[in-house]
């Protein structure tokens, strides 16, 4: 007896369709991940177990349910009293529970080696499973260093933010086993220019009351939010608890955003109606305080596009390996092989760049910290610019099937632009790169040391590095910041790939991205070891 769906239908037989996949192992099936994670010092045993759990078909069903049954806002109860609550599908909670249990938010703060690199691996997996749920998990992880500016708050909050359990109950933080943290900074009039914020903070003894509007507040059912407001001493960072001992805080949800993607996650527009808040850092030092949270969220926005691209590549490769056209499997046709190899180069480079940044985050010296700031910015910029193009090409490999919601391709496509916007769009990141290189000599030194460390391994790389240095003996004018960032990011990716010693990939990336043996569209390549690159896909 078989319970498989019928292939022999009344009008035709179903043939030339790859068999649906069940459970997948996101670790053992990913050569690039295994090599980069070990190179970065991640906990391979932990990532192997997480890859098995997050690749289960059950988790994919949870993800699909969480996207299909989108979050619902309940502003009032039936009697007209304010609730300001968001209801999620149980699938959302199941994935949140798995992420917290695996230590997505906790690992970097547990004093184990490779904590940030292991965390980055979990981000990579989550991007393949349900990227929207990364948002509250990432902010929970990233809030920890910002909270250190207030030891009393940190004593209460940090143990709960780093607890390996999930507790979605509505209760003050002191009564919970675990907590999550969100962020609310953006206002209508300023956007990335947070110094234009208009929200005010009035001191009242041990706390402040906030009044104002936030145009974007991610994950509004978190237990607390880091936010910026103008106190008497200037723009200041605050922690706004969602729930107080005496009841609900007056943080009111005005509406949920109707977004292009990221549908399992609730993003909201909020108002503070004299909401209780606690100061982090000194008055007037709000940007300096919250930048630590932003810095850590950037690691995740640098890693997420690698995971999205990996999911698209995996789906495309499975399809072209199981489908034939013109009497040959698609994967056996030279032009398709060229396209797949070029897409694989994008994934390998993005993965190496993100794990390289994570390795720097795990460093303990000032030089490590400075290099982390520049390397994560370069990775975030270049990988998010390439993800949408790469995912569209992977979608095209499936033809019309790739445009259908039953495949993951539409979801991946909708997610592709987000990480390039979140925590600084392209121009903001490029200006931050220039600013970092001006203000932090250790960042410049660290970048050049990394780029020069592989000189002599490939003459084409050496020539590209010389050309970069000739073109920009000093920092570029602002109008050339994107060109400079792209060139530096490509060189850094090539340096990492040479360190990883995957010869076909490193040589292919250098030939196409540095030497110019590539056109302007994916698959327009020449002179690369296509067979060697594709061999890493299984």
């Amino acid at each position: 007896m078989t319970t498989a769906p019928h292939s022999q239908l009344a009008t035709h037989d179903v043939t030339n369709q790859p068999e649906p996949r069940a459970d997948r192992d996101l670790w053992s099936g990913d050569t690039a991940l295994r090599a980069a994670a070990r190179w970065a010092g991640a906990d391979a045993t932990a990532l192997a177990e997480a890859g098995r759990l997050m690749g289960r078909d059950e988790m994919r069903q949870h993800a699909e349910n969480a996207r299909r049954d989108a979050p619902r806002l309940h502003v009032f109860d039936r009697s007209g009293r304010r609730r300001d609550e968001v209801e999620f599908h149980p699938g959302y909670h199941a994935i949140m529970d798995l992420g917290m249990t695996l230590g997505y938010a906790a690992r970097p703060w547990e004093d184990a080696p490779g904590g940030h690199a292991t965390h980055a691996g979990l981000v990579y997996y989550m991007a393949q499973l349900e990227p929207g749920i990364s948002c509250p998990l990432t902010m929970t992880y990233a809030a920890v260093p910002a909270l250190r500016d207030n030891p009393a708050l940190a004593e209460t909050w940090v143990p709960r933010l780093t607890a390996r359990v999930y507790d979605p109950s509505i209760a003050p933080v002191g009564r919970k086993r675990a907590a999550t943290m969100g962020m609310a900074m953006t206002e209508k009039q300023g956007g990335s220019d947070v110094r234009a914020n208009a929200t005010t903070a009035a001191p009242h003894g041990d706390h402040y009351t906030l009044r104002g509007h936030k145009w974007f507040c991610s994950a509004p059912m978190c237990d607390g939010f880091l936010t910026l407001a103008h106190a008497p001493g200037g723009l200041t960072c605050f922690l706004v608890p969602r729930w107080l001992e005496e009841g609900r805080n007056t943080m009111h949800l005005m509406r949920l955003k109707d977004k292009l993607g990221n549908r399992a996650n609730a993003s909201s527009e909020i108002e503070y109606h004299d909401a209780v808040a606690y100061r982090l850092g000194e008055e007037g030092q709000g940007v300096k305080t919250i930048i630590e949270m932003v810095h850590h969220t950037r690691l995740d926005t640098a890693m997420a596009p690698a995971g999205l691209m990996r999911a698209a590549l995996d789906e495309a490769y499975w399809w072209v390996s199981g489908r034939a056209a013109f009497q040959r499997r698609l994967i056996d046709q030279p032009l398709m092989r060229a396209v797949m190899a070029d897409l694989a180069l994008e994934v390998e480079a993005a993965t190496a760049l993100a794990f390289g940044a994570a390795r720097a985050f795990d460093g303990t010296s000032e030089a490590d910290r400075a290099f982390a700031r520049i390397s994560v910015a370069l990775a975030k910029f270049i990988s998010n610019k390439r993800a949408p193009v790469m995912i569209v090409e992977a979608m095209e490999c499936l033809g019309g099937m790739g445009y259908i919601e039953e495949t993951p391709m539409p979801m991946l496509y909708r997610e592709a632009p987000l990480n390039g916007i979140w925590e600084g769009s392209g121009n903001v990141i490029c200006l931050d790169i220039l600013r970092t290189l001006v203000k932090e000599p250790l960042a410049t030194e660290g970048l050049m040391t990394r780029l020069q460390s592989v000189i002599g391994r490939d003459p084409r790389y050496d020539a590209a590095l010389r050309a970069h240095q000739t073109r920009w003996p000093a920092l570029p004018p602002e109008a050339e910041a994107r060109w400079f960032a792209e060139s530096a990011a490509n060189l850094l990716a090539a340096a990492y790939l040479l360190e990883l010693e995957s010869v076909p990939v490193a040589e292919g990336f250098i030939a196409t991205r540095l030497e110019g043996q590539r056109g302007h569209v994916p698959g327009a390549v020449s002179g690369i070891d296509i067979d060697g690159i594709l061999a890493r896909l299984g």
Side-chain angles (χ1 to χ4, degrees):
M1 173 180 156
T2 177
T3 58
H6 292 151
S7 295
Q8 295 177 321
L9 308 184
T11 60
H12 65 285
D13 292 344
V14 179
T15 62
N16 200 22
Q17 290 281 324
E19 288 291 333
R21 295 176 292 177
D23 293 349
R24 307 170 205 172
D25 189 329
L26 301 182
W27 171 260
S28 66
D30 193 335
T31 302
L33 167 65
R34 295 197 309 274
R38 290 189 172 108
W39 166 75
D43 184 336
T45 301
L47 287 182
E49 175 65 6
R52 183 186 65 80
L53 292 172
M54 295 182 80
R56 290 179 299 167
D57 186 61
E58 175 191 6
M59 299 312 298
R60 287 199 302 279
Q61 291 298 321
H62 284 317
E64 290 174 9
N65 290 336
R67 288 190 290 270
R68 183 186 63 248
D69 191 351
R72 303 176 189 176
L73 174 60
H74 301 289
V75 177
F76 300 100
D77 68 9
R78 60 180 291 175
S79 303
R81 297 175 178 86
R82 286 204 75 111
R83 285 180 59 189
D84 293 298
E85 293 175 26
V86 180
E87 177 187 357
F88 296 92
H89 187 279
Y92 172 94
H93 294 294
I95 297 175
M96 281 289 294
D97 183 72
L98 180 61
M100 291 292 280
T101 301
L102 290 172
Y104 187 116
R107 282 190 176 274
W109 317 117
E110 292 176 337
D111 296 325
H116 287 285
T118 308
H119 161 83
L122 296 174
V123 176
Y124 180 84
Y125 289 150
M126 191 64 76
Q128 298 176 60
L129 176 62
E130 175 33 59
I133 295 174
S134 290
C135 181
L137 293 171
T138 286
M139 291 187 294
T140 300
Y141 145 74
V144 172
L147 283 165
R148 291 171 178 160
D149 277 325
N150 187 320
L153 288 176
E155 184 178 1
T156 298
W157 284 86
V158 170
R160 291 169 174 84
L161 298 178
T162 56
R164 288 205 187 199
V165 292
Y166 175 53
D167 183 355
S169 62
I170 294 176
V173 65
R175 302 184 197 173
K176 299 190 65 165
R177 298 178 301 150
T180 54
M181 185 70 71
M183 182 191 296
M185 290 200 294
T186 309
E187 297 187 7
K188 295 175 184 177
Q189 70 282 357
S192 295
D193 182 9
V194 294
R195 295 187 186 279
N197 282 7
T199 299
T200 59
H204 293 277
D206 68 343
H207 69 275
Y208 291 68
T209 55
L210 271 54
R211 193 164 190 85
H213 180 278
K214 295 295 178 181
W215 182 242
F216 233 99
C217 171
S218 287
M221 286 304 285
C222 287
D223 298 288
F225 298 85
L226 295 195
T227 195
L228 295 174
H230 282 281
L235 191 64
T236 304
C237 183
F238 294 93
L239 168 60
V240 181
R242 190 77 160 81
W243 325 106
L244 305 172
E245 287 292 339
E246 57 270 26
R248 295 165 185 261
N249 205 352
T250 50
M251 172 182 150
H252 293 160
L253 308 187
M254 311 309 290
R255 60 173 173 166
L256 298 186
K257 298 293 192 180
D258 187 5
K259 298 169 294 182
L260 169 68
N262 214 243
R263 293 180 176 178
N265 175 46
S267 299
S268 61
E269 195 171 334
I270 67 168
E271 289 185 357
Y272 297 131
H273 293 175
D274 296 327
V276 173
Y278 298 91
R279 177 166 53 84
L280 288 174
E282 298 300 320
E283 284 193 6
Q285 299 297 309
V287 173
K288 179 182 177 182
T289 302
I290 208 166
I291 201 68
E292 275 301 306
M293 183 176 187
V294 172
H295 174 55
H296 285 81
T297 59
R298 281 185 178 172
L299 175 60
D300 292 17
T301 59
M303 177 54 86
L308 294 173
M309 288 192 282
R310 173 64 206 195
L313 177 66
D314 185 56
E315 188 72 15
Y317 189 74
W318 165 74
W319 179 263
V320 300
S321 297
R323 187 166 172 82
F326 310 111
Q327 292 76 54
R328 286 189 298 174
R329 284 195 315 159
L330 293 176
I331 192 57
D332 295 331
Q333 302 189 29
L335 189 52
M336 180 60 78
R337 292 180 68 78
V339 170
M340 293 303 302
D342 199 27
L343 299 184
L345 289 177
E346 295 285 24
V347 176
E348 295 255 12
T351 303
L353 277 170
F355 273 111
R359 183 170 67 171
F361 273 68
D362 279 318
T364 57
S365 69
E366 284 299 321
D368 291 327
R369 284 188 280 273
F371 182 64
R373 284 188 281 276
I374 191 65
S375 63
V376 78
L378 290 169
K380 171 176 160 51
F381 174 72
I382 197 67
S383 296
N384 283 299
K385 291 304 176 192
R386 287 181 167 152
V389 176
M390 182 275 177
I391 290 170
V392 166
E393 194 66 42
M395 179 186 291
E396 191 173 319
C397 291
L398 277 68
M401 181 60 74
Y403 207 64
I404 303 302
E405 292 286 351
E406 289 170 294
T407 78
M409 292 305 200
M411 179 274 288
L412 297 170
Y413 177 65
R414 287 192 294 267
E415 294 292 338
L418 177 58
N419 292 285
I421 297 171
W422 192 26
E423 305 305 6
S425 57
N427 284 355
V428 171
I429 294 298
C430 288
L431 294 176
D432 280 355
I433 289 168
L434 298 189
R435 193 177 301 113
T436 299
L437 293 174
V438 167
K439 291 185 175 181
E440 300 193 42
L442 284 175
T444 303
E445 181 182 329
L447 178 60
M448 291 313 301
T449 297
R450 182 65 64 189
L451 296 180
Q452 292 170 351
S453 68
V454 294
I455 287 176
R457 297 194 189 187
D458 190 302
R460 299 167 301 174
Y461 172 86
D462 299 350
L465 180 57
R466 287 194 299 272
H468 176 88
Q469 293 172 314
T470 300
R471 179 69 184 81
W472 294 290
L475 289 180
E478 182 178 311
E480 293 183 16
R482 283 190 173 220
W483 187 5
F484 174 87
E486 179 183 356
S487 176
N490 280 338
L491 286 164
L492 186 58
Y496 286 155
L497 293 172
L498 286 168
E499 281 191 44
L500 285 163
E501 298 182 340
S502 170
V503 175
V505 171
E507 291 184 347
F509 186 85
I510 291 168
T512 55
R513 274 64 174 179
L514 300 186
E515 196 180 28
Q517 294 184 40
R518 185 180 190 266
H520 293 290
V521 298
V525 295
S526 174
I528 65 173
D529 182 359
I530 291 174
D531 291 345
I533 295 167
L534 294 183
R536 293 168 63 82
L537 299 182

